[in-house]
Amino acid sequence: GAARPDMPSESLALGSFLKEEDLVHLHDVLESHGGLAELASMLSANRVLFLARLKEWGVSRLVERQRVANGLARAIKAGRVGTVAATPHLAPCTWTQTDDCLVARLAIPAGTPSSAVAVSFEVNAMDIRVHGEASSMCGRLHGVVKPSDCTWELERAPPAEPAMFELRADQQPHDEVVVTLAKGKAGAEWGGLFASGVGMSSKREKPPPPPAQHVPTKEEVA
């Protein structure tokens, strides 16, 4: 029978989606990496990373990778994939720098044990994995660092206030992996955090504006 208006419409299946996009030949490749919901969570987090993963999985033609991404984005926008929450550790990381170091932050699901986070530093590369999956903080760095002086820590999200209503998946608080990279050359300005790889999606945080200078009034000077 016809679906009642108050019934959630049947979520789009991977096979139907690929048929609509005329990409049925990609079914086996994509299905081995999860269903449409997992792909949608990855795309919502980070399009650069999504396209890179498709390439890694063997979708060799750029035009097909873009058709998967564009078609899936339309399906998400039309509400055909159900509730899509971006995968936190795939979302672009944020970073800031001082003269001698860079600090980068990567969101991860709240409550992730530190044992599930693997961080490695090389002179010109960094790799962070969460539960064995490469995060958006992987790739060749824009400059050179001193690996033995690089550190990382987990910053836990403050416990959420009891809400009047259930938080949606995309509103859940996240913990953060906070990485401090010691610059190989102090004073060198980095134009980006990564030079290649999915880390190219990283976003530089704007420094806070300097405090307004207080101009004394005539009365104060007198």
Side-chain angles (χ1 to χ4, degrees):
R4 296 210 315 272
D6 58 334
M7 293 284 285
S9 58
E10 189 60 38
S11 280
L12 190 60
L14 180 61
S16 318
F17 165 71
L18 292 173
K19 205 168 180 179
E20 285 178 16
E21 298 296 326
D22 200 19
L23 294 167
V24 176
H25 57 285
L26 299 179
H27 187 271
D28 291 355
V29 173
L30 296 182
E31 192 182 43
S32 63
H33 294 283
L36 211 55
E38 287 87 344
L39 292 172
S41 295
M42 187 187 298
L43 176 61
S44 300
N46 192 330
R47 184 184 166 98
V48 174
L49 181 142
F50 181 80
L51 291 168
R53 287 286 157 86
L54 292 182
K55 188 178 183 179
E56 280 169 32
W57 297 343
V59 183
S60 53
R61 297 181 59 206
L62 173 63
V63 64
E64 292 190 339
R65 297 196 293 273
Q66 290 177 332
R67 273 167 60 196
V68 172
N70 294 344
L72 187 50
R74 283 194 298 272
I76 294 168
K77 199 171 177 185
R80 299 176 68 203
V81 192
T83 307
V84 177
T87 310
H89 64 273
L90 300 182
C93 64
T94 57
W95 64 282
T96 55
Q97 68 181 318
T98 61
D99 277 351
D100 49 12
C101 73
L102 300 104
V103 176
R105 295 174 168 271
L106 176 73
I108 58 172
T112 301
S114 57
S115 58
V117 181
V119 182
S120 69
F121 302 112
E122 290 173 37
V123 172
N124 61 354
M126 172 167 59
D127 187 281
I128 299 185
R129 289 170 188 271
V130 180
H131 293 295
E133 183 184 25
S135 72
S136 63
M137 256 169 97
C138 293
R140 194 163 62 81
L141 293 166
H142 189 277
V144 173
V145 297
K146 300 174 190 163
S148 56
D149 293 340
C150 295
T151 59
W152 70 278
E153 59 180 346
L154 272 185
E155 213 168 82
R156 297 294 184 190
E161 293 291 319
M164 299 291 289
F165 48 88
E166 200 62 29
L167 285 177
R168 293 202 317 266
D170 58 356
Q171 295 173 321
Q172 297 291 349
H174 296 136
D175 293 345
E176 287 187 319
V177 178
V178 183
V179 172
T180 303
L181 297 170
K183 289 182 179 178
K185 189 178 171 197
E189 176 79 11
W190 285 33
L193 182 58
F194 288 92
S196 66
V198 295
M200 291 286 283
S201 62
S202 63
K203 293 179 163 62
R204 185 172 180 177
E205 286 181 42
K206 291 186 171 62
Q213 291 295 312
H214 177 69
V215 179
T217 61
K218 281 182 182 159
E219 286 79 10
E220 285 175 325
V221 174

